Amino acid sequence: GDSVTQMEGPVTLSEEAFLTINCTYTATGYPSLFWYVQYPGEGLQLLLKATKADDKGSNKVFEATYRKETTSFHLEKGSVQVSDSAVYFCALGNTDKLIFGTGTRLQVFP
Amino acid sequence: GAVVSQHPSRVICKSGTSVKIECRSLDFQATTMFWYRQFPKQSLMLMATSNEGSKATYEQGVEKDKFLINHASLTLSTLTVTSAHPEDSSFYICSARSAGIMYGYTFGSGTRLTVV
């Protein structure tokens, strides 16, 4: 069945470092791909999404490119801040449901 | 933008009692709502999918008699944890989707349930 695999965390970075969180997927058909962020004790917030191959999802600071050839959707940010510390979930939507990866905790230190 | 309100944010109840969690779409009609459960430091596990006016579809392994879901209107879905036990303690999150928005899922802020 469909699945999402994320790199295990925690990912620990210093402020202004470059961020990459890897995400790969297995799916039939042509799924949509998402990145969500979860701050402590809160629900999920959509960061970005991409609906077809080669699409670049972006919210101006985070971006991810839907790569069908490598079945990947890696999240990137050029310069992280302490406020980016959170758990990041990669997700796949292929019917009516979202399938989540296990989440990657990011810790950014000053 | 689309907003989903989930209430309460935290609840503590005694073993054997029932707890109701509400999920409301504030500015759109949610044709479909989803309920998730999240264990500490783990991912979200889909419990059930509910469509307005029809019975919820439960994922394999989720007890439908224990986790009662009602989606009586296009803006409200409720999850009732019946005869709660300590092992039901968890973080429950709802998500709502509108038929008019392709994969437009909006999540509530979650409910931390502690059963003592």
Side-chain angles (χ1 to χ4, degrees):
Chain A
D2 296 350
S3 66
V4 176
T5 303
Q6 284 181 244
M7 60 189 293
E8 284 194 28
V11 173
T12 304
L13 295 172
S14 297
E15 217 167 16
E16 299 183 5
F18 186 87
L19 169 70
T20 300
I21 300 179
N22 290 341
C23 171
T24 57
Y25 67 92
T26 301
T28 55
Y30 304 95
S32 291
L33 300 172
F34 306 80
W35 276 102
Y36 286 87
V37 61
Q38 184 179 34
Y39 296 99
E42 297 185 14
L44 272 66
Q45 299 175 28
L46 178 67
L47 269 182
L48 51 86
K49 67 179 179 184
T51 58
K52 62 183 188 298
D54 299 325
D55 266 3
K56 179 176 283 188
S58 173
N59 73 345
K60 297 182 182 178
V61 288
F62 288 91
E63 63 178 38
T65 301
Y66 188 148
R67 301 218 183 270
K68 193 169 175 63
E69 64 275 15
T70 54
T71 61
S72 65
F73 193 55
H74 304 323
L75 181 69
E76 296 181 337
K77 185 181 182 188
S79 176
V80 294
Q81 306 300 312
V82 173
S83 57
D84 294 325
S85 299
V87 179
Y88 292 81
F89 290 94
C90 183
L92 175 159
N94 205 6
T95 52
D96 199 28
K97 303 175 186 178
L98 284 179
I99 297 170
F100 287 90
T102 52
T104 302
R105 182 173 300 276
L106 171 64
Q107 297 175 329
V108 181
F109 294 95
Chain B
V3 177
V4 170
S5 173
Q6 188 172 341
H7 179 80
S9 57
R10 292 178 179 273
V11 58
I12 300 173
C13 71
K14 293 183 178 180
S15 286
T17 61
S18 295
V19 174
K20 181 183 285 188
I21 302 169
E22 291 188 350
C23 181
R24 293 182 184 272
S25 57
L26 297 186
D27 50 3
F28 67 101
Q29 294 186 328
T31 49
T32 307
M33 286 190 172
F34 306 86
W35 288 95
Y36 295 86
R37 182 173 181 177
Q38 186 180 30
F39 293 99
K41 298 185 179 181
Q42 293 189 26
S43 189
L44 282 73
M45 180 192 79
L46 180 64
M47 299 173 67
T49 303
S50 71
N51 292 294
E52 184 265 339
S54 60
K55 289 184 178 180
T57 302
Y58 290 81
E59 295 298 303
Q60 193 172 8
V62 178
E63 299 175 62
K64 62 181 179 181
D65 295 331
K66 174 132 187 96
F67 298 100
L68 300 179
I69 292 171
N70 184 281
H71 192 166
S73 78
L74 284 171
T75 58
L76 174 65
S77 176
T78 60
L79 167 67
T80 301
V81 183
T82 63
S83 187
H85 292 282
E87 57 266 29
D88 298 325
S89 298
S90 192
F91 193 58
Y92 294 87
I93 305 176
C94 71
S95 173
R97 188 172 79 87
S98 170
I101 305 173
M102 181 67 173
Y103 287 113
Y105 301 89
T106 304
F107 285 80
S109 55
T111 297
R112 170 73 59 194
L113 170 64
T114 304
V115 184
V116 298

